[in-house]
Structures are given as C-alpha cells and as structure tokens.
Amino acid sequence: MTRSAVIVDAIALSAELDSAAPPVLLDVRWALGQTDGHDRHLDGHLPGAVFVDLDTELAGPASPQEGRHPLPDLAAFEAAARRWGVTADRPVVAYDAVGGMSAARVWWLLRWAGVRDVRLLDGGLAAWTAAGLPLEAGSVTPEPGDVVLEPGSLATIDADQAAAWDGSLLDARAAERYAGDVEPVDPRAGHIPGALSVPTAGNVGPDGRFMSDAALRERFGSVEGPVAVYCGSGVTAAHEVAALASIGVDAALYPGSWSQWSNDPSRPVATGTA
C-alpha cells in the first residue's frame, strides 16, 4: 500500500463527497472507557456519515479466552457493513475524534474482509473542522449496501504464533503498560516476551495527523523480518498496521492481543523496558 491508499486529508475528502461517486463515510466515535460516542455523533458529524459502534459491530462478545474485542462473526459484520451502505464499488472513509485510533479498527476489518478501497480521514474530526468544513446533526440512515465479505486479505496471528514469532512483534500500547508499571484494564501487567515497545500514539503528531513518511520510516527503522502487532485488545494495533502500510510495510495483527494473552496463566509475561 501507499500513503494515499491509507489516508485522505480533509480538503480532498470534501471534494470527493461533492463528486458523482462519493465515498461511504463511517464515524467510529469510540475511546476506552467512554460510552457516549453515539450521542457525540448525533450532536455533529461529517455530512452523510453513518455511526459505527465499535463494541457491538466491530467485535464479537468479550471473554477471557478470546479477549476484549475479538474479531466479529463474519456474517454479522457483513450485515453491519451493508447497513452502513458499503457496496462492492464505492470507496469507504472512516474517521473518529482520537487521531484514527478507533477508526483504524473498521479500516483494518474491511481491508481484512476484502474491501480494497478503505481509507482513514487524516486527523479525523478535528482536521475536518479545522479546515472550516461543515458538520451536520442527527442520525443518518443510508441506502443498504450489497458488499460481500471474505476474510483473509490481511494477515492475523494467534497466541501460539505470537509466542513463537520469528521477526518483529510490536506492542502498540503505552510504554508504561508495556513495562508493567501500570495495567488499568487487563489482569496481568507487562508484555509478551520478545516484543518491542512502539506505542501507537507516536504514529501521529500533536494535531492527530499521521507523521510524515520519513518520520514513520525512522520510527520503524529497527523493525526486521516479518512484522506483527498487538495492543490491549486489537483496536489501536490496527492503527499501527495502517501506519506501517502507509510506508509499504505489511504487518499481521494479533486480534486477541494482551487482553487474551494476560488472561491465560500458561502464557509468560515480561516486564521492564527494551
């Protein structure tokens, strides 16, 4: 992939929305510990954007065995994508209010399920409003789509593969969680032995937009061999996969991530920095 295949800026997106073939817009207003995403969407969203519920539409039921955000059932995900208006021939653009950290989940899922033209709005809602572009309020009910989803277009790994990964396994959580200094959500603190700490937050600048290609290449300069990424529950790791894709690096996602690994007492845990 190239940068233009992963992200689109607000001005370019505005022009596309005014074209004869506008993209499907998905609003993934979610953040850990917040439950008012739909209310925020109703208060103001990009014109025509459909609200996507990350917890119920972009994940299966949580469990200690599968993690906090396991991959959704494919049939249920296809039905949701059709509700959003996703078709076989329209591009899709997703955004949020946290620098793409939650929107990347639907970006990754749709790409994994075979939808080729999916991008993230660079900088999300803040970039749109900073450009002086309009919002609209209320709910949006699009014409149903007809997309057919087939899994496997992007790579995934499971816990056994993560344990034996012969390459670079990146931990996309905050550095203090990787080190085991804090653990606000999951049962054990630390990281998968051998993983490298590369927090997702470093993929974007203070404005929530992706760092330049040069900066991202420098950031991931020590990555060698096949690359896989995990985070707390497979959400922000998708952003890291997107950042890597924007500079031409393919990476597998560990969907269960730390929320699955740390719930299995047979799995070893490392602490400290590396």
Side-chain angles (χ1 to χ4, degrees), residues 179-207:
D181 297 336
V182 299
E183 182 44 67
V185 187
D186 295 313
R188 290 191 288 167
H191 59 268
I192 298 174
L196 303 174
S197 178
V198 190
T200 297
N203 296 332
V204 299
D207 59 0

Side-chain angles (χ1 to χ4, degrees), residues 9-264:
D9 67 41
I11 298 301
L13 176 58
S14 178
E16 290 184 27
L17 292 175
D18 289 334
S19 72
V24 176
L25 276 182
L26 304 181
D27 181 340
V28 193
R29 210 83 61 90
W30 180 92
L32 186 63
Q34 295 182 3
T35 59
D36 61 350
H38 187 245
D39 291 338
R40 292 172 183 248
H41 168 83
L42 293 176
D43 288 342
H45 52 78
L46 271 63
V50 179
F51 178 72
V52 174
D53 188 289
L54 188 145
D55 287 322
T56 62
E57 295 181 300
L58 304 183
S63 72
Q65 294 75 29
E66 298 296 328
R68 284 184 280 112
H69 289 110
L71 297 185
D73 172 78
L74 184 66
F77 182 52
E78 181 179 270
R82 292 181 177 188
R83 285 196 304 273
W84 307 331
V86 179
T87 68
D89 56 357
R90 284 182 68 189
V92 178
V93 175
Y95 74 93
D96 57 33
V98 287
M101 302 295 172
S102 55
R105 173 71 173 199
V106 77
W107 172 88
W108 185 90
L109 278 171
L110 287 172
R111 284 288 184 94
W112 165 79
V115 181
R116 297 175 60 87
D117 193 349
V118 190
R119 291 165 294 163
L120 295 168
L121 171 57
D122 198 17
L125 184 67
W128 181 267
T129 56
L133 296 166
L135 298 177
E136 67 177 19
S139 62
V140 174
T141 304
E143 289 292 321
D146 61 1
V147 69
V148 176
L149 301 182
E150 294 287 345
S153 291
L154 295 182
T156 61
I157 63 169
D158 60 20
D160 288 339
Q161 290 170 307
W165 192 249
D166 184 18
S168 296
L169 179 63
L170 309 185
D171 185 319
R173 298 172 301 157
E176 59 268 24
R177 290 184 70 190
Y178 170 90
D181 297 336
V182 299
E183 182 44 67
V185 187
D186 295 313
R188 290 191 288 167
H191 59 268
I192 298 174
L196 303 174
S197 178
V198 190
T200 297
N203 296 332
V204 299
D207 59 0
R209 302 184 193 194
F210 274 86
M211 302 290 283
S212 68
D213 283 0
L216 289 174
R217 288 193 181 97
E218 181 177 359
R219 172 169 164 74
F220 294 108
S222 62
V223 170
E224 297 179 345
V227 182
V229 188
Y230 74 93
C231 59
S233 65
V235 174
T236 57
H239 192 280
E240 195 117 296
V241 173
L244 287 159
S246 74
I247 55 171
V249 178
D250 294 332
L253 178 75
Y254 172 22
S257 283
W258 187 247
S259 61
Q260 181 186 54
W261 184 279
S262 63
N263 269 289
D264 183 347

